[in-house]
Amino acid sequence: MEGVAQATPRARRAPQAKHTPRARRTVVVVAFDGVQLLDVTGPVEVFTTANRYGGDYDVRVVSPTGESVTTSSGLVIGAGRPPARFSRRHSTLLVAGRQDWRAAVADTGLVTLVARMAGQAERVASVCAGAFLLAEAGILDGRRAATHWELTAQLAAAYPRVQVEDDPVFARDGHVFTSAGVTAGIDLSLALVEEDWGAETARSVARQLVVFMARPGGQAQFSARLAPRQPQHPAVRRVMDHVTEDPAATHTLTALASAAGLSGRHLERLFRIEVGTTPGRYVESVRVEAAQTLLEAGTGTVEEVAQQAGFGSSESLRRVFQRVLGIAPTQYRARFHSTAAS
């Protein structure tokens, strides 16, 4: 009919892929008396914040008795009773830590609970000294693991079947995740959010909490100054004092051996036995410590710091900082210089 548009058959549309929403994930955080507050609240804040940006977590804080727990800072956290069972699929067990880890692992009820729930979970994670509870439960046997830098030697000594790594902010071995001290639980939780819901959700959470999406460098940048074993041999003590008195002086093996009144070979052997390192590594560690102090407290240029600490050039200082601390000298200064207003 004139003036009436003729109907034409609709073009066939390609079949649309059905969007299947990802399943809700359950995170169970184990808390107990003496637990560090931020070990619990840091991860909880990450997972609950993720719910605002596309995540879907059911976060529960539980205690062995189902009652509130008193943290190491004296604040009380409300906790529920551990579920008899929870779905292995899409579930994460996260074990917080207590600085006095010996008291934690001596609690057989707590260790049994961790072992039982770990067997039900798809992923198992720990924060800080929580790694000791995982180790006591046998979950870390033969696995790589991280904990707070102050506790790595203790973890390795107490649980020789665990492959303890002293620098990572967090470590993954299969379905088991372990993190370094306190705030590293936030880094670990962000990584889990990224695995579950993608990088954009994790980035949104990091922006909201004003934290690094991925913290640059490892734990070495935060650890205390070198604390070598105290030597018994007077010649070794004399050399160590000689180096610390003037880190920028010439400290070749020949010069150090002359100061000790020993041959270079004998001095190296004594250092390995008494200090656990070589004279050259000890000199480097003292110079790194000197540079850290100058960067934290002073205003000199990186080149001036390098000269004063005994590195000779800013490039040498940068290479050693990158290898030992995992960051550049300028980054170190930006992070650890005084927080007072300029």
Side-chain angles (χ1 to χ4, degrees), residues 197-274:
W197 308 104
E200 189 52 46
T201 296
R203 269 194 293 271
S204 297
V205 175
R207 289 191 198 103
Q208 178 63 32
L209 299 182
V210 197
V211 295
F212 285 116
M213 172 77 164
R215 187 192 308 236
Q219 289 198 79
Q221 60 187 298
F222 303 103
S223 62
R225 302 291 193 244
L226 176 73
R229 297 198 296 264
Q230 291 303 308
Q232 299 299 313
H233 198 288
V236 176
R237 291 201 302 270
R238 188 161 59 249
V239 167
M240 292 174 73
D241 290 342
H242 180 64
V243 173
T244 56
E245 284 170 7
D246 187 4
T250 300
H251 294 309
T252 62
L253 179 60
T254 301
L256 295 177
S258 176
L262 303 170
S263 69
R265 188 172 180 178
H266 191 192
L267 180 63
E268 279 204 311
R269 186 176 66 83
L270 284 176
F271 249 79
R272 289 186 183 278
I273 293 171
E274 302 242 338

Side-chain angles (χ1 to χ4, degrees), residues 24-25 27 29 40-61 189 193 197 201 205 208-209:
R24 169 171 253 209
R25 305 196 68 97
V27 177
V29 182
V40 177
T41 57
V44 167
E45 197 66 34
V46 169
F47 294 121
T48 55
T49 301
N51 288 344
R52 298 162 52 186
Y53 297 100
D56 189 4
Y57 288 105
D58 173 16
V59 184
R60 312 176 194 177
V61 178
S189 300
V193 169
W197 308 104
T201 296
V205 175
Q208 178 63 32
L209 299 182

Side-chain angles (χ1 to χ4, degrees), residues 67-89:
E67 299 176 351
S68 299
V69 300
T70 303
T71 66
S72 58
S73 61
L75 292 177
V76 176
I77 295 178
R81 188 170 295 280
R85 291 198 63 80
F86 63 101
S87 173
R88 180 179 180 85
R89 193 167 181 202

